[in-house]
Amino acid sequence: MTQISQVEADKRHVKRSDYQSCTVAFIDCKKPGSHLKQNYSIIGPGVTSSSEQVINLPEAHGFNIGAAAMPTGITNNLHIHFTAEVFMVYDGEYTFRWGSNGENELVGRPGDILSVPTWIFRGFTNTGDGEGWVFTTLGGDNTGGVIFHPDIIREAAEYGLYLSKDNVLIDTSQGAPVPDEDACIPPMSAEEVARLRSYTPDEMRQRIVAHEDRDYRPAFIDRGLDGCGAEIAPVIGHGITQNRDHTPKIRNPHGFSMEWLRLQPGQKVSAFSLADKMVVIPRDAGLRVRMNDTGDVTADLGAWDTLSIPANVVRAIENTSDKTVEALIIVTGDHQKRPAFRGNVLEAAFARGHALDAQGYVADAHLIPKYGMVAE
Ligand SMILES: [Fe+2]
């Protein structure tokens, strides 16, 4: 097993107060109605076009995590992504739009998660009362940047803003010379825009796991043990759940899995290791993550903090608060993740009648042929 030091764990625990916004990340940053967007890069650079953007944790994870916040009425304009773009609404009300001219829309509220297909135009507006908060997960270490809607590129030029072919924002109002046309990303033609696939609202709803849709079920082999029984609700891909009845609603390759984890007051997930990097983003305060076999390294997570746990580090998760706590669990890769619980946990689970089947899912131990028992 890999050991982690407290210093290293502290570096990988990005507190909400450590998030640093940038308001000049994109080509539409001077457009009235879009100029107050706050862009955050928490893990990886995301798609920022600004060298001023602070990245809390630059280490490659196979995905990028960022966030957006903006005052009521402010809009993030239509653009295309080449890899998955997933919106996780933590606060406020955001209206997401998509299509050649943003003609379709759906409203996202706290707890809702939307994965927008690649190669379609999307944007969003804060239609709630306050600033709101949307975390974003982008697929891949290199997301390939974005393509803005041709109207946005033309309008930006009126404010002296250009986007170079290598994704650098050129601001002629700051003294930069107007770049040659062939040094900039050309606006897509009307024909090219018309050839993009269209998604109906019904099709898009298949890519939303709304707060009220979540399918929470007991998730782990330790479910019968005292103080255990944590639940998971899948969102995207195959994650760490050991419940064979779980089916993720969103299943096309993203390069990561995403699940909600729910712990009742005092409840815990027993110590396990995982072969992949795992990120935890709680909605509520109170989660304590203990790392290493001895549990000597601790991270106490506040609401909306981000913790990245390296591969092959033993971790146990406990709700130390007197309220139910939910957290997103994001793990690198599209494969089924296999949490490896410690031997003493598996033995205690077996004594309570639970064992893992050959696929790594929890089953009644007496139903599994002895020769098929998973010994890990
Ligand atoms: Fe985006």
Side-chain angles (χ1 to χ4, degrees):
M1 280 306 112
T2 302
Q3 300 297 308
I4 188 170
S5 69
Q6 188 67 55
V7 170
E8 178 65 11
D10 289 346
K11 268 192 229 160
R12 306 180 74 93
H13 176 192
V14 187
K15 298 195 170 92
R16 183 175 167 184
S17 54
D18 298 332
Y19 300 159
Q20 290 201 45
S21 72
C22 176
T23 53
V24 292
F26 302 112
I27 193 167
D28 61 346
C29 64
K30 291 193 179 179
K31 180 178 162 65
S34 302
H35 57 298
L36 296 170
K37 285 187 305 178
Q38 314 249 36
N39 185 65
Y40 299 82
S41 294
I42 301 167
I43 294 180
V47 291
T48 182
S49 299
S50 170
S51 57
E52 292 168 28
Q53 182 86 55
V54 171
I55 304 165
N56 294 109
L57 210 54
E59 179 189 300
H61 279 62
F63 53 83
N64 286 251
I65 290 183
M70 50 226 210
T72 305
I74 297 291
T75 288
N76 178 307
N77 290 289
L78 295 175
H79 60 282
I80 283 174
H81 281 254
F82 311 116
T83 66
E85 180 173 43
V86 176
F87 296 108
M88 305 103 85
V89 183
Y90 269 49
D91 189 33
E93 180 192 289
Y94 280 85
T95 299
F96 297 95
R97 298 182 316 286
W98 73 94
S100 299
N101 291 297
E103 59 274 24
N104 305 290
E105 62 179 52
L106 280 169
V107 174
R109 297 193 174 85
D112 295 349
I113 296 177
L114 163 64
S115 174
V116 182
T118 60
W119 281 101
I120 65 168
F121 283 109
R122 82 288 310 269
F124 53 96
T125 300
N126 180 347
T127 46
D129 296 333
E131 283 253 313
W133 186 267
V134 181
F135 281 104
T136 53
T137 307
L138 304 178
D141 291 318
N142 176 5
T143 62
V146 294
I147 302 176
F148 274 93
H149 194 277
D151 293 348
I152 300 299
I153 295 178
R154 286 187 204 103
E155 201 175 335
E158 293 168 22
Y159 300 101
L161 283 177
Y162 300 85
L163 192 59
S164 77
K165 281 191 166 153
D166 45 4
N167 193 37
V168 176
L169 204 53
I170 298 162
D171 187 350
T172 59
S173 76
Q174 300 294 310
V178 175
D180 285 344
E181 207 170 289
D182 57 2
C184 293
I185 294 175
M188 280 175 82
S189 68
E191 296 74 39
E192 287 164 334
V193 171
R195 277 205 300 273
L196 298 174
R197 183 179 163 178
S198 61
Y199 282 79
T200 65
D202 276 347
E203 287 172 318
M204 195 61 84
R205 263 188 281 276
Q206 298 310 307
R207 304 184 60 89
I208 294 178
V209 176
H211 183 265
E212 63 273 16
D213 292 344
R214 299 172 305 165
D215 180 26
Y216 272 117
R217 296 169 191 257
F220 302 112
I221 185 70
D222 68 352
R223 65 178 62 168
L225 307 185
D226 292 346
C228 301
E231 296 167 294
I232 273 187
V235 179
I236 295 168
H238 306 289
I240 62 173
T241 180
Q242 295 180 316
N243 190 317
R244 65 175 182 263
D245 296 331
H246 267 148
T247 307
K249 186 172 176 187
I250 306 166
R251 291 190 291 273
N252 67 306
H254 280 58
F256 55 87
S257 57
M258 187 178 287
E259 297 160 293
W260 285 108
L261 171 70
R262 182 163 74 184
L263 291 168
Q264 301 305 324
Q267 205 170 35
K268 65 181 184 194
V269 181
S270 304
F272 66 96
S273 67
L274 199 65
D276 314 280
K277 290 182 186 179
M278 175 176 127
V279 169
V280 185
I281 309 179
R283 281 180 85 185
D284 318 282
L287 282 193
R288 175 169 295 161
V289 181
R290 289 185 186 279
M291 286 164 270
N292 297 333
D293 263 320
T294 56
D296 59 330
V297 166
T298 307
D300 279 306
L301 305 187
W304 308 9
D305 287 1
T306 299
L307 173 70
S308 165
I309 305 172
N312 301 312
V313 165
V314 173
R315 78 292 308 263
I317 307 170
E318 184 181 354
N319 178 1
T320 61
S321 81
D322 56 4
K323 296 188 178 71
T324 302
V325 172
E326 291 186 318
L328 276 179
I329 304 289
I330 302 158
V331 182
T332 310
D334 290 312
H335 55 287
Q336 177 195 347
K337 318 307 182 311
R338 301 257 191 159
F341 283 86
R342 316 319 290 153
N344 60 329
V345 174
L346 295 178
E347 281 166 27
F350 188 76
R352 303 277 173 104
H354 289 135
L356 294 174
D357 67 14
Q359 184 72 38
Y361 291 128
V362 180
D364 290 341
H366 72 273
L367 292 176
I368 302 177
K370 267 223 165 60
Y371 62 82
M373 286 275 181
V374 175
E376 57 181 328

